[in-house]
Amino acid sequence: MGTSESIPRLSSVTQRGERRVDDRRSVAPTDDPVRLVGLHRLVRGTMRSFAETVAESVDEVFTVALGAVGSFCDVDRAYIFQLDPDGDHLSNTHEWCGTGINPEIDNLQHVPIEVAGPWFEAFERDEHVYIADVDELPDDQAELRGILAEQGIRSLLVAPLRSGGTMHGFIGFDYVRHTSAFSRADLDVLRILADSIAATMSRLAAEERIRHVALVDPLTDLPNRAMFTELVEQGVTLGTPRSRVDDGSDHQPERRSDRAAGRAVVGLIDLDQFAQINEAMGFEAGDELLVAVADRLQQSLRPEDHLARIGGDEFAVLIDGAVDESSAEAVSARLVAALSEPVPVAGHVLAVTASMGFSIDDGTFIHASDLISAAETAMREAKSLGGARAVAFDKDSGQRLAQRVNLALFMRSAEGLSGLHVAYQPAVDLATGQILGVEVLARWEDADGSPVPPDIFIPIAEESGLIPNITRRVVETTLCDVDERFAPLVDGVLAVSVNVSAFHLTQTRFMDDLRGLIDHASESGPIRIWVELTESGVMAESGVVVEHLQMLADSGVRIAIDDFGTGYSSFARLRHLPIAGLKVDRSFVTGIQDDPINQTLVRAQVDIAAELGLLLLAEGIEDEAERATLASLGVRFGQGFGLHRPMGADDFEALLRTQRAGD
Ligand code: C2E
Ligand code: CA
Ligand code: CA
C-alpha cells in the first residue's frame, strides 16, 4: 500500500502499526543526558552561526549545520533543495552524507518541480512529508519513486523551507542503508533547522537586493569588482572538489565532473594604451572607449560567462565549466579577436590592445580573491612582456600551496623531525592544586626555527601521512623523559596522556607500534598512560576503532574522550566504549561563572561521568573564577593556562621537585 503521505503529527507514523519506531530512536533526547547536552549545543551553535552568517559563508554554514544535525539524528543523509530562479525547477544545493554514503547532489540539479508536486501541496499547508518505504509509493508517483530508488533512498522525511510567505524549497533526511522510522525528536530537530534556514535565506535575499545597487558599475552597467569577487566565489564554491566516494557504478557520460573537478577560469583584461588615450582625447572619449570595449567583450562571451569592470581600464571574465588550460586559451583567443578590430571613438578609429592574465581553479585556491589575484599576477606578466598578449598563471607560484608543500617536505626530511619536541601541561586536583597528571602536546619548529602551531602542522602531517612518525616520536620522547626524569619524582601515580588522531586507530601497524611503546611504559613504575581521542573521532562509526580501543584498554592504557560535549555521542554509545575519562571542552569552561547554561551542561557532564564511573577533567581553565565554579559543580580535575601553561621537560621536572619538597 502507498505510504507517501503528509502527516501532521508524527504519531500517525507509529499508529500505522506496520512500521515500528526503532526503539533506540524512540528515546526522546530529554531522556538521555548526553543527548541533551548535544542537543543544547547543536541548537545553540546552529542558531548562532545562522545569525552571524553572511552571503559568502552561508553555504558552508548550512552544510556544517546539516552535518551536525544529520550526525545528531544518526541519519544517512541530510540535504537542502532550493527552487531554481525560474521557480519551476529544484536543485540540491547542500548535502551531508554519513560515513560510506554516496553523495547524490550532482545528480539532482534542475529537477522539474512537478516530480515533487504532492510534497509541495503539503508544504503549502506547512506540513512535512514522511515516506516510510520508498518501494511502496503508489503508481501515480512512479516517477518520484524512480528518482528516489535511483539514489538508493529507502525512507525519508522532508519539511518545507518557508519564511515570510516565501517558499525557498525543502530540507530532508534520508535512510539509504535500510528503511527506518524517524522519531518525534528527529522531526522537531528537522523543523527547527528548516525554520532557521528559511529565515536565514530570506534575510540574505533581502540583503542581496539592497547590495545589488552597490554592485554595478554605473558607466558600463557591468558588475563591479565586489560583485565579480562574489560571482567567482560562487563559481569556486561550486567548483570545489567534493570529497566523494566513487563506487565506479556511475557510467553516465554527462557527469557533472567538470564542476566536481573544479574548473572556473578567471581572466583579467587590461587595456594597454588607456592612459594615453585618456590624456590625448579627454575623459569623455575614454568613457566612450570603455563602453565600446565592454560591448565587444560581452559579445565574445557565452551567456553563462560573466564580464565585469573591476578597475579603471580593467575588465574581468569568469568562465564557468571550462575544463583545462586549452579552454582558457580558446577564450582568450576570442577575447583577443574581439579587440583586434579598431574601435570607433569620438569620431576617430582607435586600435586597442590588451594584456590578459588567466587563472584556473584547480581546487587549490581557497578564496575567490586568490583566484583573481593569480589572474592579476599573470596579467602583469603579460604587460611586462610588452602587452597585447595573454599569460596563464603558473599554479606552482601559488604561494599558499607552495608554503604547504614546503612545510610537508620539510617535515618529511631528516632534519624535519628534529624540529619536533614536546610540551607538558600539568593536570591538577581542582581542590588541592596537586599535580596528578600531565598532557603531552606536540610542538614543532620549521626550517627557520619559528614555531608552527599544532593546529597548522597536525592537519598537514595527517594529510601527508606523517602523523604516525610524529606520534611515535612524541611518545618516545615522552617515555624517555618519564623514565629518566619524572618517574623518580612521583610518589603516587602520574597520569601521562598523549593525543592520538582517530584515523590512526584504524591502522593496525600504527597500533602495534603504539602498543609496543606503551607496554614498555607500563612496566616503568608509577606511570599510567592515557590516550586522548576527540569525541568525533571515537564516534565515527568504525568497528575497527572500537576494537583497537578495546585492545589498548586491555593492555592497561586508559582512554579519555577529548573535547567532550562538542560531538553528538549518546549515552548508550559511551556506555559501550572502553573509556575511562572525559575532558570537558574549553568552550564550556570559558566564563562559566557567568553562564547558567554552561553550568547546567557541565553539571550534566558531572552526572554522566558519575553514572558511567568515568574520571572528569575540565580543560582550558584560565582563572580562579572558572576553577572555583567548576569545583563547586563537582568537577574534580582540571587543566588550563590559569593553573599551569604547557612547559618544557626541565620546567615540569622542577615543578614535580617543588611539589615533592612541599609535601
Ligand atoms: P587539545 O588536545 O584539546 O589540547 C589542548 C590545547 O589547549 C593545547 O593547545 C593547549 O595548549 C591549549 N590550552 C590548554 N590550556 C588552555 C587555556 O587555559 N586556554 C587556552 N586558550 N588554551 C589552552 P595546542 O598545544 O595548541 O594543541 C592544539 C591541538 O593540537 C590539541 O588540542 C590536539 O588536538 C592537537 N595536538 C597537540 N599535540 C598533538 C599530538 O601529539 N598528536 C595529535 N594527534 N594531536 C595533537
Ligand atoms: Ca588533548
Ligand atoms: Ca581538548
Side-chain angles (χ1 to χ4, degrees):
M1 71 178 287
T3 49
S4 162
E5 59 184 10
S6 56
I7 31 176
R9 288 175 306 282
L10 199 74
S11 55
S12 59
V13 175
T14 41
Q15 277 160 15
R16 298 189 61 79
E18 86 260 34
R19 308 261 161 253
R20 269 183 307 110
V21 173
D22 176 339
D23 288 333
R24 187 169 49 94
R25 299 184 178 290
S26 64
V27 177
T30 42
D31 295 347
D32 178 337
V34 184
R35 300 275 295 164
L36 178 67
V37 171
L39 181 61
H40 242 105
R41 286 185 62 82
L42 177 66
V43 171
R44 233 182 155 198
T46 307
M47 295 291 175
R48 190 171 300 165
S49 66
F50 285 5
E52 286 166 0
T53 190
V54 290
E56 288 71 25
S57 57
V58 68
D59 285 331
E60 199 189 327
V61 166
F62 284 173
T63 306
V64 168
L66 288 175
V69 168
S71 343
F72 181 81
C73 295
D74 202 16
V75 297
D76 289 337
R77 204 185 279 132
Y79 48 83
I80 294 172
F81 274 77
Q82 278 178 266
L83 290 173
D84 288 350
D86 64 13
D88 295 324
H89 293 81
L90 286 162
S91 292
N92 187 184
T93 54
H94 302 79
E95 180 185 46
W96 168 86
C97 297
T99 318
I101 304 295
N102 287 341
E104 289 292 344
I105 189 163
D106 289 346
N107 303 326
L108 296 166
Q109 301 298 317
H110 208 58
V111 181
I113 196 166
E114 297 89 76
V115 176
W119 293 8
F120 277 84
E121 285 162 28
F123 293 164
E124 289 301 338
R125 298 190 300 271
D126 201 32
E127 288 167 6
H128 61 274
V129 176
Y130 165 61
I131 299 179
D133 187 346
V134 165
D135 290 345
E136 293 181 13
L137 277 176
D139 285 341
D140 60 5
Q141 294 183 39
E143 189 178 3
L144 179 62
R145 186 175 61 206
I147 290 185
L148 297 175
E150 216 169 88
Q151 303 163 54
I153 298 174
R154 307 295 309 277
S155 307
L156 64 74
L157 180 65
V158 288
L161 290 172
R162 247 167 43 126
S163 160
T166 306
M167 176 70 77
H168 294 283
F170 61 86
I171 181 169
F173 286 162
D174 287 348
Y175 283 106
V176 303
R177 285 189 248 257
H178 42 73
T179 61
S180 182
F182 293 90
S183 71
R184 175 84 232 174
D186 292 338
L187 177 62
D188 287 345
V189 169
L190 187 71
R191 297 292 314 235
I192 293 172
L193 184 66
D195 289 346
S196 330
I197 286 180
T200 305
M201 286 174 168
S202 290
R203 169 174 68 80
L204 291 178
E207 286 173 9
E208 182 56 36
R209 284 192 292 276
I210 294 166
R211 219 147 40 119
H212 176 79
V213 183
L215 290 177
V216 173
D217 163 39
L219 177 67
T220 58
D221 238 13
L222 290 173
N224 64 12
R225 187 177 195 109
M227 182 163 176
F228 184 72
T229 308
E230 191 153 333
L231 287 168
V232 177
E233 190 78 68
Q234 284 166 18
V236 172
T237 316
L238 286 170
T240 302
R242 300 195 180 90
S243 47
R244 52 194 305 160
V245 186
D246 199 334
D247 60 4
S249 65
D250 187 351
H251 294 307
Q252 285 166 281
E254 244 285 283
R255 286 189 57 166
R256 302 177 60 85
S257 54
D258 49 350
R259 260 200 173 169
R263 293 301 180 204
V265 173
V266 166
L268 261 125
I269 303 152
D270 188 279
L271 302 184
D272 288 330
Q273 316 81 350
F274 187 71
Q276 293 93 304
I277 294 170
N278 239 352
E279 215 162 274
M281 302 176 60
F283 288 117
E284 229 165 275
D287 283 357
E288 205 179 311
L289 174 65
L290 290 173
V291 172
V293 166
D295 231 48
R296 286 272 178 89
L297 293 175
Q298 187 79 74
Q299 278 164 29
S300 70
L301 295 174
R302 302 164 304 170
E304 62 264 40
D305 301 327
H306 297 282
L307 178 67
R309 180 175 172 228
I310 65 168
D313 59 345
E314 232 180 272
F315 294 89
V317 291
L318 168 65
I319 297 134
D320 217 359
V323 187
D324 50 26
E325 254 107 329
S326 63
S327 15
E329 278 165 25
V331 175
S332 70
R334 281 211 306 275
L335 294 170
V336 170
L339 294 179
S340 61
E341 293 282 305
V343 186
V345 169
H348 298 266
V349 182
L350 300 179
V352 191
T353 63
S355 304
M356 302 186 195
F358 288 89
S359 61
I360 300 171
D361 175 23
D362 57 0
T364 60
F365 294 97
I366 296 176
H367 301 292
S369 51
D370 300 335
L371 193 56
I372 297 171
S373 42
E376 258 163 351
T377 305
M379 183 271 285
R380 270 192 295 279
E381 193 184 335
K383 194 139 257 190
S384 73
L385 291 171
R389 73 191 69 214
V391 170
F393 177 73
D394 175 7
K395 282 171 242 142
D396 293 340
S397 57
Q399 277 218 334
R400 205 183 300 269
L401 181 65
Q403 218 176 355
R404 279 179 80 87
V405 170
N406 288 336
L407 212 54
L409 279 176
F410 177 68
M411 285 169 78
R412 250 178 204 294
S413 71
E415 322 85 82
L417 271 186
S418 68
L420 189 71
H421 54 112
V422 300
Y424 295 99
Q425 186 176 32
V428 306
D429 183 318
L430 284 181
T432 65
Q434 196 197 354
I435 296 170
L436 299 173
V438 67
E439 178 176 5
V440 185
L441 295 162
R443 291 289 175 265
W444 192 65
E445 282 162 9
D446 68 10
D448 318 328
S450 35
V452 182
D455 296 341
I456 306 277
F457 78 79
I458 298 277
I460 293 180
E462 265 170 3
E463 279 164 27
S464 53
L466 272 174
I467 267 280
N469 303 9
I470 289 186
T471 305
R472 194 175 310 124
R473 176 64 77 93
V474 165
V475 173
E476 275 168 5
T477 310
T478 303
L479 294 179
C480 188
D481 284 344
V482 163
D483 268 0
E484 291 172 10
R485 315 175 66 167
F486 308 157
L489 297 170
V490 174
D491 288 326
V493 173
L494 184 74
V496 175
S497 65
V498 291
N499 292 282
V500 170
S501 300
F503 168 70
H504 289 98
L505 284 184
T506 61
Q507 314 289 95
T508 309
R509 246 201 63 205
F510 175 75
M511 284 293 303
D512 291 344
D513 270 12
L514 189 66
R515 275 206 309 166
L517 290 165
I518 286 171
D519 277 352
H520 160 80
S522 39
E523 291 154 15
S524 66
I527 301 302
R528 171 142 290 145
I529 302 285
W530 285 72
V531 157
E532 295 186 10
L533 274 165
T534 57
E535 186 178 0
S536 46
V538 198
M539 290 303 140
E541 232 166 274
S542 160
V544 190
V545 168
V546 176
E547 192 183 308
H548 284 170
L549 282 178
Q550 192 62 57
M551 274 162 55
L552 278 179
D554 292 346
S555 63
V557 172
R558 304 276 162 102
I559 294 149
I561 297 193
D562 209 348
D563 305 343
F564 184 64
T566 58
Y568 304 112
S569 340
S570 69
F571 201 71
R573 193 79 212 268
L574 283 186
R575 193 191 288 285
H576 290 113
L577 286 170
I579 52 175
L582 302 174
K583 294 188 82 171
V584 178
D585 188 62
R586 180 158 67 91
S587 56
F588 294 100
V589 168
T590 308
I592 189 167
Q593 65 279 9
D594 303 318
D595 188 335
I597 295 180
N598 276 346
Q599 287 170 20
T600 308
L601 296 178
V602 167
R603 203 175 290 120
Q605 298 185 23
V606 169
D607 293 343
I608 292 161
E611 175 79 23
L612 295 177
L614 305 176
L615 196 141
L616 189 72
L617 179 146
E619 60 184 7
I621 302 173
E622 295 192 344
D623 56 38
E624 172 52 25
E626 290 167 358
R627 186 206 62 81
T629 310
L630 288 161
S632 75
L633 291 170
V635 180
R636 278 201 55 201
F637 307 101
Q639 204 182 328
F641 291 174
L643 300 161
H644 297 281
R645 284 190 172 260
M647 58 187 84
D650 289 347
D651 287 341
F652 186 60
E653 187 186 334
L655 197 61
L656 286 176
R657 213 178 280 286
T658 316
Q659 171 160 307
R660 185 174 223 197
D663 280 348

